[in-house]
Amino acid sequence: GPTLFIIEDATGSGKTEAGLTLAHRLMAEGKADGFYFALPTTATADAMYGRLAKGFERLFDSMQGERPSLSLLHGGAARLKDEDTDVAAFCAEWIADDRRKGFLAQGGAGTIDQALLTVLPAKYQSLRLFGLHGKVLIVDEVHAFDPFVLKILAGLIELHAMLGGTTILMSATLPLKARHKLVLAHQQGLGLRRDNCAAPACNAYPLLTTVTGEALRETPLPLAARSARRVAVERVASLEEAERLVIERAEQGCAVALIRSTVDAAIASFERLRAKLGNKVELLHSRFLPEDRRRIETQVLEQFGKASPPERRHGRVLVATQVIEQSLDLDFDALVTDLAPIDLLIQRAGRLWRHLREARPVAAPVLHVIAPPTGPDDDIGWLDGTLPEARWVYQDVALLWLTARRLFEAGEIVMTTLDAAEPSPSHARRLVEAVYGADPDALPTQGLKKAHDGASGIAAANEQMASYVTLKPSRGYSESQPAWGAENAIMTRLEEPRRAALRLAKWKDGYLAPLGKAGLWSDSEVSVTEHWAKGIGWPSDTERALLRPAWSEADEGARIIVLEASDQGLVDRDGLHAYAGTIGLTKCNLDAADPSRKASSARGALP
């Protein structure tokens, strides 16, 4: 019958292959007729689609000369039609022309958002549900989801189980509380009473959890020898010290990564490091146009990927944001990072010495973490003097304090086979539980305790909001539900800080055209925070009349910046914003003596 599998294993251990093998076995036994692989970001979805395209047909029987279809599902998937890899090469054209029909393909890869729309009051919800029915739902990187997304995912697992579907969840660092919620959702989908539902309790690692009916089986597994690792952790007191360390390691011949909390922080570090190291420094973040990001990702894989030769790696530096945690298979000799929640730091540590190499310029892998020391008098402003942007991005300063305290006390991150009874406080599993399962009384001051309570309250409120907007299968469509709307009006994530979509435009033959080469507005979009977008307007009625192509319903809600060529590259007419293929979208330095420039529109005047 419907089964829930949860695979927990180390980064790079082969969870993807395990999930596909399991899905194939279920399909071969007639328990499913296809699969959908859901991932946290468009970058991870694109990467998975590329991997599946090389051999997914072997997962299916031949159908009298017909080929099974493989679909790519996310907001920017349409751009593949204009690239070297044509969607139609792997997917029937009538499916490929609209992502809402993508679930009708036998195989699929895409963002978790597309699957979540199956249980949200969005148009074409029933079509998505029909397409997902009978397929194995595979969800990777489950630890990457916040409480809002996790709650909607639980609703999806419940509905999928109710309709006879099997789900496979995969993660490297999944807290026990999250595992319990997902197991309970599957059991409720089978119609079990809450008091008859067994709760997961095993903390061995790696671990396979299998839920079939009332039966819950937790199977400890050995860690593959290639995945076993022990990474030392060292605290770096300041950003200046961190950048000096990056330069030192690069001059030793190391392939180095520096991970910053925000795009603006990454750009600033990139410019300082490039002034010292020249063209050996690359920059990667989320504020590039898709075409530039794909180009940079290709370069980065050539320099830091599994197959990168020593001569390409030698002395090279990648400055990046969180985008490299999951989307790319990268391997660094040295890594320096801003402080982040413990599960994200474990993911980043998985990019250190990821693959076997004959020789490395340093003796052992070390994760260098930029953070202040922890002490008994630390309060809510503990991070402000060292990493104010980290507190702004991750919101929960108490979580960051607990991460720093537990991590620096342990002095290392250990990834080995873990017996459930073994204490091993430096093991990745134990570190995650020590932070996310910590008693608030372990915090040293009332300020941090209030911060913890506030973050817990926000998480609970977000879960409640997710519960409100998620369709309730047991009630049916006739019961009162939140108002139905277009897909682009339905939230699949509550991102904090809130995000805004910016479309970059240029003048072409008297009209406003997308800046991207593909000529698509979706391919000329970058995502920024609402705070960053302050002062940037939506297109006026006059500008709307000049948009080519015209905006559709899906484009509504996006703001616009019109860029023109200048001596400084592409800038808007007010000189407030600029775009370059090596740096991305940035704000220009404003003339403090001219406050009128700060208040002017970012759209640029019409000719």
Side-chain angles (χ1 to χ4, degrees), residues 175-454:
L176 181 61
K177 288 181 181 178
R179 200 181 346 147
H180 187 189
K181 291 177 181 178
L182 298 170
V183 166
L184 181 62
H186 178 80
Q187 293 168 326
Q188 290 180 325
L190 301 179
L192 299 178
R193 290 167 51 103
R194 194 183 186 101
D195 52 6
N196 291 335
C197 295
C202 182
N203 266 328
Y205 192 89
L207 184 68
L208 173 65
T209 303
T210 310
V211 187
T212 305
E214 295 182 10
L216 182 148
R217 186 169 71 248
E218 295 175 295
T219 309
L221 300 169
L223 188 75
R226 69 179 183 277
S227 299
R229 57 176 47 230
R230 189 179 294 269
V231 176
V233 176
E234 294 184 4
R235 187 178 70 84
V236 181
S238 67
L239 177 60
E240 292 77 13
E241 183 182 337
E243 292 178 354
R244 284 196 299 270
L245 180 61
V246 169
I247 294 170
E248 178 184 319
R249 290 291 183 266
E251 290 175 343
Q252 287 179 291
C254 290
V256 190
L258 173 61
I259 303 179
R260 302 301 318 278
S261 299
T262 67
V263 175
D264 288 331
I267 291 172
S269 288
F270 166 77
E271 291 178 333
R272 286 191 294 267
L273 290 172
R274 200 160 210 192
K276 298 286 186 180
L277 298 172
N279 291 332
K280 286 199 168 185
V281 187
E282 297 283 351
L283 177 65
L284 180 60
H285 54 70
S286 60
R287 217 188 288 158
F288 284 103
L289 290 182
E291 62 195 40
D292 288 323
R293 179 165 170 173
R294 292 192 295 275
R295 172 183 53 79
I296 295 170
E297 286 179 351
T298 299
Q299 293 174 354
V300 165
L301 283 169
E302 291 173 353
Q303 294 161 1
F304 306 104
K306 182 177 182 178
S308 57
E311 62 272 15
R312 293 299 303 272
R313 300 169 55 82
H314 187 271
R316 299 207 70 92
V317 174
L318 175 63
V319 181
T321 57
Q322 303 92 322
V323 296
I324 67 169
E325 284 172 10
Q326 299 151 348
S327 57
L328 300 171
D329 183 8
L330 303 177
D331 174 22
F332 300 99
D333 302 316
L335 195 150
V336 185
T337 174
D338 286 0
L339 179 65
I342 186 64
D343 48 337
L344 303 186
L345 290 179
I346 292 171
Q347 287 291 118
R348 295 174 191 185
R351 268 61 189 163
L352 266 171
W353 291 41
R354 186 178 177 91
H355 299 296
L356 292 175
R357 296 188 184 276
E358 290 185 4
R360 292 185 187 264
V362 286
V366 179
L367 181 68
H368 298 276
V369 181
I370 307 168
T374 57
D377 299 322
D378 293 335
D379 212 325
I380 193 169
W382 163 71
L383 265 179
D384 292 353
T386 307
L387 288 174
E389 60 270 11
R391 175 184 169 192
W392 181 69
V393 169
Y394 297 112
Q395 308 289 311
D396 188 352
V397 67
L399 179 68
L400 294 173
W401 189 91
L402 286 166
T403 293
R405 170 55 64 93
R406 299 291 182 251
L407 188 60
F408 297 135
E409 282 179 348
E412 62 180 355
I413 298 172
V414 175
M415 190 67 78
T416 57
T417 301
L418 177 68
D419 182 85
E422 182 185 341
S424 188
S426 58
H427 193 281
R429 167 81 90 185
R430 294 284 188 260
L431 287 169
V432 169
E433 295 302 335
V435 172
Y436 283 96
D439 187 335
D441 290 336
L443 296 164
T445 61
Q446 286 300 315
L448 285 178
K449 290 176 183 178
K450 287 182 180 179
H452 178 276
D453 292 343

Side-chain angles (χ1 to χ4, degrees), residues 84-85 122 153 179 206 215 220 232 266 276 289 307 391 459 465 474 546 582:
D84 294 336
T85 305
L153 175 60
R179 200 181 346 147
K276 298 286 186 180
L289 290 182
R391 175 184 169 192
M465 185 180 298
S474 59
L546 295 174
T582 55

Side-chain angles (χ1 to χ4, degrees), residues 139-206:
V139 185
D140 201 3
E141 310 283 8
V142 178
H143 58 269
F145 304 136
D146 62 24
F148 182 83
V149 174
L150 206 64
K151 185 67 175 180
I152 301 177
L153 175 60
L156 173 59
I157 292 171
E158 179 181 349
L159 178 58
H160 198 51
M162 182 181 293
L163 297 178
T166 286
T167 301
I168 301 170
L169 306 177
M170 300 184 294
S171 176
T173 52
L174 188 64
L176 181 61
K177 288 181 181 178
R179 200 181 346 147
H180 187 189
K181 291 177 181 178
L182 298 170
V183 166
L184 181 62
H186 178 80
Q187 293 168 326
Q188 290 180 325
L190 301 179
L192 299 178
R193 290 167 51 103
R194 194 183 186 101
D195 52 6
N196 291 335
C197 295
C202 182
N203 266 328
Y205 192 89

Side-chain angles (χ1 to χ4, degrees), residues 36-49 71-77 79 99 103 108-118 128 132 137-140 145 149 153 156 487 492-493:
Y36 178 70
F37 216 117
L39 298 117
T41 66
T42 57
T44 49
D46 286 346
M48 180 57 61
Y49 179 80
S71 61
L72 175 63
L73 298 176
H74 60 68
R79 60 174 165 70
R99 66 176 180 269
F103 285 109
T111 57
I112 184 65
D113 308 77
Q114 299 299 315
L116 296 181
L117 288 169
T118 302
R128 292 174 181 272
L132 191 60
L137 174 63
I138 311 172
V139 185
D140 201 3
F145 304 136
V149 174
L153 175 60
L156 173 59
E487 291 175 1
T492 55
R493 309 195 189 207

Side-chain angles (χ1 to χ4, degrees), residues 588-605:
C588 303
N589 292 325
L590 299 176
D591 184 357
D594 186 4
S596 64
R597 292 183 63 187
K598 297 182 181 181
S600 58
S601 167
R603 290 197 297 257

